[in-house]
Amino acid sequence: MKTKSVIVIGAGIGGITAATHLAKRGLHVTVVEKNSRPGGRCDRFSCEGHHFDTGPTLLVMPLLYEAEFRALGTSLRERLDLQRVDPTYHLVFDNGSRLALTSDMKSMQEQLETIQPGSFQGLLRYLQEGDRHYQIAMDKLVTRDFRKATDFFRLQNLSLLFRLKPLVNHYGNMSAYFDDPRLKTAFTFQDVYMGLSPFAAPATFSMMPYTELAHGVWYPKGGMYRVVETLVDLAREAGVEFIFNSAVERIDVNSTHARGALLADGARLDADVVLANADLPYVYQKLLPPDGMVKALSRKQFSCSAISFFWGVDKVYESLGPHTLFLADDYRENFQSIKDLGLPANPSLYVHAPARLDPAMSPPGQDTLTAIVPVGHLSENGEQKWGELTSEAREHVFRRLRILGITDIASHIKFEVTYTPLSWRKRYNLVKGSTHGLSHTLMQLAYFRPSNRHPRYQNLYFVGASTHPGTGMPTAMVSGRMVAERMMDELWA
């Protein structure tokens, strides 16, 4: 009997994970990737001995990673050399005050009581809520496959409206725990991981600060790209074939089924099943015949984007920890400016110094720095002036670093590589340059997120940030496993 074949379009985390599960079940799987490396937006580059992760820079939700590596038949900690990062972040506020987020509750108590007397008890109650949200969300939402409406709209799920606070605004919910705006900011900025504003995110996402403090923030030796390399090793061990530098021009379909993929160089790849790991709105816009989903997706909310600076620096800045966040007093205005597709006047921003965790990320006596400034995604009219906005963002980074006494960085930058929303769109086919795909608002979560299977082409499936369960490296692994299981159930049961 002929071995069934699968083509995976895009070598992102979800696509690689799905490919591995399918290959382990005896299918012939080929992954086609337009770029020269796997990983998608979880990318890496090196220059003059400096090594940069261009996507995620820290490993969060380790329990989810561990579960998904076990599902692949291996151990996360045997495959990766992980070190815990604690303090997880060094937060710097506009007035120069600081807060080191740490799992050391005695240290947290001392720091919080200095900012707002009595606030430590608020933190403990907030973490209790985060624990509840994490446990319920993992069990009932993140790891559940909603193939049909009745999988989600069930009587027992009604209690989630009260247990997960999905109808409560995350930032507004903070008033039950803290009075000081700095503390409200310190425990909601993690919503940006989903490309969300805390003023639009459901209070469900209190699970993120909880998992960071309870389960830890981790860093793999060699950088976050080691996760990608490890998953590729597992895929190849399972027999997956990779084809790089090969862009897919379109998915070949008839009235009811996908038949394969046509490449930009004119080659054709036939397959029994097609799994698209490219950005979902891009797949509908560019790879399939036009239908109503193109307009439906265009009406959905897209996540924010970012201007990222990658600097090779000829000296070490010891005052920078591995993860430093500068959080603006005008927090609400920050997110409103991003929603209005602009650059905030006083943006919150993030600086990553990986050599604090792995000295091999920089040459001796030098530093590797990444600065990320969240901005709005690309506008429809194309009137955003990204050259000017990039210059402004760079000056904001320099201004914020001066709070830490770093006044000379401009004269010590050996080289700079910059990514803007235009870069994200060009390099990774991200519609609107939205770095997290479709946003994770209440009506774009769980069953309300686009399906992992095409409604018309019965053997065309989807995996990635804009599908269920959403953005993030561990959730992409969940998505890859779930879609592989669904394919096996529906096509070869």
Side-chain angles (χ1 to χ4, degrees), residues 165-403:
K165 293 189 175 181
L167 304 180
V168 179
N169 171 279
H170 192 188
Y171 188 84
N173 186 54
M174 301 306 292
S175 295
Y177 304 101
F178 306 112
D179 295 326
D180 194 291
R182 289 171 294 177
L183 298 182
K184 295 179 182 180
T185 301
F187 297 104
T188 58
F189 72 82
Q190 295 86 348
D191 294 345
V192 178
Y193 296 165
M194 279 73 69
L196 266 180
S197 160
F199 300 95
T204 310
F205 287 126
S206 63
M207 59 186 273
M208 296 307 298
Y210 161 76
T211 185
E212 289 180 347
L213 293 178
H215 307 143
V217 169
W218 301 79
Y219 186 80
K221 184 177 181 180
M224 285 298 292
Y225 196 74
R226 283 291 301 134
V227 178
V228 176
E229 293 174 326
T230 300
L231 290 174
V232 170
D233 289 343
L234 291 170
R236 287 187 163 133
E237 290 168 14
V240 176
E241 176 187 357
F242 287 87
I243 303 174
F244 296 106
N245 298 305
S246 295
V248 171
E249 190 73 22
R250 65 182 176 90
I251 298 170
D252 183 34
V253 296
N254 59 24
S255 59
T256 58
H257 287 79
R259 298 182 295 196
L262 300 177
L263 306 186
D265 63 5
R268 175 190 175 91
L269 298 175
D270 294 322
D272 297 300
V273 184
V274 175
L275 173 60
N277 185 208
D279 188 37
L280 185 70
Y282 176 85
V283 174
Y284 275 100
Q285 284 184 18
K286 301 294 185 181
L287 303 185
L288 290 171
D291 63 15
M293 274 298 291
V294 175
K295 182 173 286 188
L297 288 172
S298 70
R299 290 196 295 263
K300 291 187 178 292
Q301 293 186 44
F302 283 71
S303 66
C304 66
S305 190
I307 297 175
S308 297
F309 301 98
F310 305 98
W311 293 326
V313 183
D314 66 9
K315 65 177 287 189
V316 177
Y317 288 96
E318 295 289 354
S319 58
L320 276 176
H323 304 294
T324 304
L325 280 126
F326 297 87
L327 296 174
D329 287 347
D330 43 1
Y331 196 51
R332 185 183 298 270
E333 289 80 0
N334 257 248
F335 288 101
Q336 185 59 49
S337 295
I338 291 170
K339 183 179 179 180
D340 294 338
L341 307 186
L343 171 68
N346 177 35
S348 296
L349 55 91
Y350 163 70
V351 177
H352 175 47
R356 299 301 168 277
L357 302 169
D358 183 354
M361 301 300 280
S362 296
Q366 302 186 30
D367 236 343
T368 296
L369 301 179
T370 299
I372 300 175
V373 184
V375 295
H377 60 63
L378 296 171
S379 64
E380 298 291 341
N381 58 29
E383 291 181 353
Q384 294 150 307
K385 298 179 180 178
W386 290 109
E388 295 179 9
L389 292 171
T390 299
S391 295
E392 291 178 28
R394 184 186 299 106
E395 289 305 316
H396 283 302
V397 178
F398 292 163
R399 174 176 59 83
R400 291 306 188 90
L401 289 174
R402 286 196 289 271
I403 298 175

Side-chain angles (χ1 to χ4, degrees), residues 138-153:
M138 288 297 111
D139 180 43
K140 300 295 185 182
L141 297 176
V142 175
T143 60
R144 292 293 179 99
D145 187 3
F146 304 110
R147 301 182 186 182
K148 54 187 184 300
T150 52
D151 291 336
F152 181 73
F153 295 104

Side-chain angles (χ1 to χ4, degrees), residues 52 93 95 112 196 218 263 272 296 348 355 359 401 410 462 468 474 477:
F52 301 89
F93 300 99
N95 65 356
L112 264 63
L196 266 180
W218 301 79
L263 306 186
D272 297 300
S348 296
L401 289 174
F462 307 109
H468 177 67
M477 293 184 69

Side-chain angles (χ1 to χ4, degrees), residues 87-92 99-101 320-326:
T88 55
Y89 309 94
H90 291 88
L91 308 184
V92 183
L99 174 62
L101 296 185
L320 276 176
H323 304 294
T324 304
L325 280 126
F326 297 87

